Amino acid sequence: MDIEARIKRRQRRDGEHRLILDYEALSPVSHATEPTDRGPVFERLLDHLDPVFEGKLPPNAYVHGPAGAGKSAVVTALFGHLEQLPTDARAVIHTTTRAQTPTSPAFVYVDTRTTTSEFAFYHAILDNIIEESVPEHGIGTETLRSRLHETLSGRHSGVVVGVDHIDDPSGTDTTDLVDLFAGLPSKASWLAIGELDPSQTEVTEYTARSIRVDRYRRQMLVDVVMTRASDGLAQQALDHRSARTIADWADGNAHDALAALLIAAVHADSSGRDRIAETDVTAAIEEIPEPCVSLGRVLSLPANRQRVLRELVDLGTDETASVTKTTEAIAQQAAVDLSQGTVKRFLYELAEVGIVERVQSTTDTGQGRPPSRLEPRFPPTAFRQLYDLSQ
């Protein structure tokens, strides 16, 4: 966070002491413009992208590493900076030599969690490399792809496309993704980002290099937590001991560590405390399931599925004793505006992709097999807070 942002954050206090000053700074789905302690990863990516500084396209590559290692944060931050390089449309003309400076490719980031169709994929790229708006309706996929080819044929340097979460269970199938890559113009190269080992994904058959991003080391993760706390909380709201507790538990996963930080802050704030206590950290850690589904994945679901989940996390124990009772309770909420049949279908779909889990109820009805209930595979408090802030 830059100096101006820090000043504005303090101006928003309105004379009232608050523990949480900036929720976005605490959010596990918010990426810092300057990710903490990731210099070596940036260097490896810059080594791969080095041809762009001579106006050339780098070869295709695959960036991989475990969940919460900061892959998305590093790539989006790097692309954000590289977008500032001069492209064909912004080339500088030297009046003394009449020669044009080397121009770099354009950089486009695509998240397959939200860009789930062929049309959306090509639309996202085209919309980012031309100045005019690309229509979202009344145009076919083939026409869109042809226009992308035509546009890039007139560009000297082309485009580098970062394609994130390629192995997400709710995203684009890998085979379909390879077909999308094959449909790109020759003046396009791609940087795929995922969790699978290079030997386990088909995309590496079409890449020249694989770049591994290792999980955060303990002290690096402590630094991440303390930096986010400094940006988002009141002064001295989190001590190093609590940050170390969170980092030790998260075991290199920055998403889980930041989720714990956010939940602990909400717990402390709701209790009227001006500092995060050890009990807040303990409660936060206990709330996060193992393994934990990324909140970014949950918040990228269609709006109607998110509404169903929002109601689910507020239900009491009696209302979640079975899928049937859960369905009835959710469908009764005015904010959902869905039939019971639709709600039940959504819940089963969410269970199939691992967003929620069907667990056999311990209630003994004495009539055959006990009913199953649904448990979120994500932290309810963090989801509730981020969802409500987005509305």
Side-chain angles (χ1 to χ4, degrees):
M1 183 178 290
D2 58 30
I3 296 176
E4 183 179 356
R6 289 177 183 270
I7 293 173
K8 288 182 178 179
R9 176 167 63 85
R10 292 173 184 268
Q11 288 176 330
R12 290 198 297 267
R13 292 183 181 180
D14 301 324
E16 178 185 352
H17 181 81
R18 294 202 299 263
L19 172 62
I20 303 176
L21 305 179
D22 187 345
Y23 281 98
E24 185 177 0
L26 306 178
S27 170
V29 301
S30 175
H31 300 315
T33 56
E34 298 287 346
T36 304
D37 293 330
R38 270 329 199 194
V41 179
F42 276 110
E43 287 298 325
R44 290 198 294 272
L45 283 169
L46 283 170
D47 285 343
H48 169 71
L49 296 170
D50 193 62
V52 306
F53 299 104
E54 297 180 359
K56 301 176 183 178
L57 279 176
N60 303 328
Y62 175 52
V63 178
H64 64 101
K71 303 180 294 297
S72 300
V74 169
V75 171
T76 54
L78 185 57
F79 272 35
H81 286 284
L82 292 175
E83 284 174 355
Q84 308 307 313
L85 295 175
T87 62
D88 292 3
R90 303 190 298 274
V92 178
I93 303 297
H94 292 288
T95 56
T96 55
T97 62
R98 308 299 296 173
Q100 184 171 309
T101 60
T103 59
S104 73
F107 290 86
V108 176
Y109 173 82
V110 177
D111 189 344
T112 60
R113 287 172 173 167
T114 54
T115 308
T116 57
S117 68
E118 183 180 11
F119 178 90
F121 181 77
Y122 295 124
H123 183 282
I125 299 172
L126 184 61
D127 195 49
N128 275 276
I129 62 175
I130 63 175
E131 293 185 1
E132 64 268 28
S133 178
V134 181
E136 296 184 3
H137 306 284
I139 180 174
T141 300
E142 189 57 42
T143 301
L144 195 65
R145 183 167 49 205
S146 297
R147 189 176 177 191
L148 177 61
H149 279 254
E150 292 170 3
T151 300
L152 287 178
S153 67
R155 297 178 69 98
H156 173 69
S157 301
V159 61
V160 179
V161 185
V163 187
D164 205 355
H165 304 117
I166 65 165
D167 43 27
D168 189 280
S170 304
T172 306
D173 180 82
T174 303
T175 301
D176 293 336
L177 191 61
V178 169
D179 290 340
L180 292 179
F181 290 154
L184 289 171
S186 59
K187 287 188 176 180
S189 70
W190 45 267
L191 188 72
I193 305 138
E195 295 181 17
L196 292 177
D197 185 84
S199 63
Q200 298 177 314
T201 177
E202 184 181 350
V203 301
T204 53
E205 297 178 18
Y206 309 93
T207 58
R209 185 178 185 182
S210 293
I211 303 167
R212 178 170 175 80
V213 180
D214 292 317
R215 65 176 64 249
Y216 282 90
R217 294 193 300 272
R218 177 180 179 271
Q219 188 54 49
M220 292 170 60
L221 195 51
V222 171
D223 292 343
V224 170
V225 172
M226 289 302 298
T227 298
R228 292 295 193 101
S230 175
D231 291 341
L233 299 176
Q235 293 185 23
Q236 299 181 343
L238 180 76
D239 58 32
H240 274 84
R241 178 179 179 181
S242 294
R244 288 194 296 270
T245 298
I246 291 173
D248 286 342
W249 165 80
D251 192 25
N253 187 321
H255 170 275
D256 290 0
L258 293 176
L261 173 63
L262 174 58
I263 297 167
V266 171
H267 272 267
D269 190 52
S270 62
S271 300
R273 287 190 285 275
D274 58 3
R275 293 173 60 90
I276 293 177
E278 182 179 346
T279 53
D280 300 317
V281 173
T282 300
I285 289 173
E286 289 177 349
E287 181 180 318
I288 300 175
E290 176 60 39
C292 177
V293 171
S294 166
L295 286 162
R297 183 180 167 198
V298 181
L299 293 167
S300 67
L301 292 168
N304 50 15
R305 270 74 166 178
Q306 289 191 50
R307 286 198 300 272
V308 167
L309 291 174
R310 178 61 183 85
E311 298 301 330
L312 172 64
V313 298
D314 275 355
L315 296 182
T317 303
D318 292 341
E319 295 170 307
T320 57
S322 68
V323 175
T324 299
K325 288 185 176 181
T326 300
T327 299
E328 293 172 350
I330 293 176
Q332 290 174 1
Q333 304 303 314
V336 174
D337 193 26
L338 297 169
S339 69
Q340 287 192 25
T342 300
V343 170
K344 178 171 283 190
R345 177 167 60 84
F346 285 176
L347 290 173
Y348 280 125
E349 288 176 357
L350 292 167
E352 287 177 3
V353 296
I355 301 294
V356 298
E357 181 180 11
R358 293 179 63 184
V359 179
Q360 185 171 300
S361 176
T362 57
T363 302
D364 185 7
T365 62
Q367 298 179 354
R369 184 178 179 180
S372 60
R373 54 186 175 82
L374 298 172
E375 289 186 356
R377 300 307 304 164
F378 54 88
T381 298
F383 169 70
R384 182 186 297 111
Q385 195 68 52
L386 296 177
Y387 178 87
D388 291 350
L389 288 170
S390 70
Q391 300 306 301

